[in-house]
Amino acid sequence: MSEEKSAAELLAEKLRLKSENAGQILSDEEIRKADDFCEGYKSFLNSCKTERECALFFKFFAEQNGFREFDKSSKYSAGDKVYRLNRDKALIVAVMGKKRIGEGVRIAAAHIDSPRIDLKPNPVYEDSELALFKTHYYGGIKKYQWTAIPLSLHGVIILGDGTKVNVTIGEKDDEPKFVISDLLPHLAKEQMKKPLEEAIAGEDLNVLIGSRPFKSDKGSELVKLNILNILYEKYGMKESDFLSAELELVPAFHSCDIGFDRSMIGSYGHDDRVCAYPSFMATIDCGVPEYTCVTILTDKEETGSEGNTGLKSSYLRYFIEDLAALEGLSGRDVLSRSMCLSADVNAGFDPTYPSVLDRMNAAYLNKGIVVTKFTGSRGKSGTSDASAEYVGFIRRVFDKAEIVWQMGELGKVDAGGGGTVAMYIANLDVDVIDVGVPVLSMHAPFEVVSKLDVYMAFKAFKAFFLAD
Ligand code: MN
Ligand code: MN
């Protein structure tokens, strides 16, 4: 027999904003599907740790699923799948819809670069018979988190004759790894007094790469020489080839389940592959959509979206212009009628650090995909603030598809802030809102997300692509 509800309980049920935990309201079958989906995501994380690796993985995956390189002189019909690769670092995939492109397209935009440690152009040196790399970090990092952890090296080297050499070393168990050393606590009295921001200087992020000298009775810097010799044998490179290389150090550890209940995933690079992977998979899975669906997997978000592979460049606009030209339209005819989900992570509420987040407006793990109306800082500066009308549309789409979702703001007012690519797409006269997965320890070498939120992101992108 059910207990009678009081008038207040009934009224509260009708009127109050609900906050639901996906683990409470999803069926066991749905939870199983989410866990399965995340196994694919975890292996993707292990094989794709840089923007280039992500772009090429997604291109390969797309080709396996019938996507072909976009040809602006071709004719396309509903259900046709195309992609455009930008300099091996960013990828656009699109599925042609039943409606004319002139009615607008549905865009999802996520980034595939993550904070990391880049090599300087002239990186190799020897000091005290140890060989090291000089580095320049990429993106917003807390430098102390990047010391004393195993690192792997990824990227490309363009040799003097133009040959391109791909590098990945330190991912397999039997491969060597690299490390930025830190001071022992016994002698760190002065270092420990410094504010965290100053404890490890940018110029101190030097990476240990060798210690054994080249055997010879004459010569100087023989440890460095021995390393150069190994690099020559392995990659055919000389020291000058570092000048035309892009080499990136990332955490060498693999993704794994977190918690006795295995409800979370710990990994490097959730920001923003945790949105890139679900949005890409939703594109693969959207069948023959009403509207043409476009997913952008972009580079350079972590350094401000500058550069020809970042979203401040015109490569998205050019792609839309080429789509528009298929129907004899100009790009603006399509852009002005298009809608976008800017897919990027938000801060998950961390009970250990409650003071920086407003509990009423924070995103929580397991409460589903987080919709962020605006980002920015200091009085909504540097953001695209989505209109009430557009938020209303997204609400209806998500609710109709039974997506578990929540609204979240990045931190308390004036506590800090951050931005996404939303404003650059909004500047093209597109309706945009940020959505994404809440993350703990964002930008750390090892970040945490909830599996149910990852799956809800996938379902949300799909619902957006398929909504009328
Ligand atoms: Mn991000
Ligand atoms: Mn970020």
Side-chain angles (χ1 to χ4, degrees), residues 49-124:
K49 293 196 173 179
T50 66
E51 72 291 2
R52 285 176 188 267
E53 288 167 358
C54 289
L56 296 178
F57 170 93
F58 286 131
K59 173 184 168 264
F60 179 78
F61 203 115
E63 282 173 339
Q64 300 296 100
N65 283 275
F67 286 69
R68 296 290 168 257
E69 190 167 4
F70 180 68
D71 173 4
K72 60 182 181 177
S73 62
S74 259
K75 284 215 169 354
Y76 291 103
S77 45
D80 284 346
K81 303 167 190 173
V82 298
Y83 70 82
R84 179 177 282 173
L85 184 64
N86 178 2
R87 295 169 174 84
D88 287 357
K89 295 183 186 184
L91 183 74
I92 299 177
V93 290
V95 181
M96 300 297 174
K98 291 176 201 153
K99 290 186 197 286
R100 291 173 54 79
I101 289 162
E103 294 195 42
V105 299
R106 296 281 161 83
I107 303 169
H111 68 94
I112 49 178
D113 62 320
S114 297
R116 59 177 194 250
I117 311 285
D118 284 352
L119 295 199
K120 288 196 183 194
N122 180 18
V124 192

Side-chain angles (χ1 to χ4, degrees), residues 111 115 271 301-302 344-345 442-443:
H111 68 94
D271 178 9
E301 195 279 337
E302 295 295 358
D344 207 343
V345 297
M442 194 197 293
H443 282 208

Side-chain angles (χ1 to χ4, degrees), residues 401-423:
E402 296 182 337
I403 308 297
V404 183
W405 67 278
Q406 55 186 324
M407 202 83 178
E409 192 179 345
L410 180 63
K412 274 187 182 166
V413 179
D414 292 342
T420 67
V421 299
M423 57 183 158

Side-chain angles (χ1 to χ4, degrees), residues 11-25:
L11 194 61
E13 208 166 86
K14 182 177 161 191
L15 296 182
R16 294 191 66 167
L17 175 64
K18 290 183 187 72
S19 166
E20 289 168 321
N21 188 309
Q24 198 66 258
I25 57 175

Side-chain angles (χ1 to χ4, degrees), residues 107 109 311 316 335-336 338-340 342 373 383-387 390 420-434:
I107 303 169
L311 267 186
L316 167 62
L335 286 164
S336 303
S338 293
M339 292 191 259
C340 175
S342 162
K373 189 172 181 295
T383 185
S384 157
D385 196 342
S387 70
Y390 190 51
T420 67
V421 299
M423 57 183 158
Y424 311 121
I425 297 172
N427 289 346
L428 297 171
D429 194 28
V430 175
D431 273 311
V432 189
I433 191 162
D434 280 300

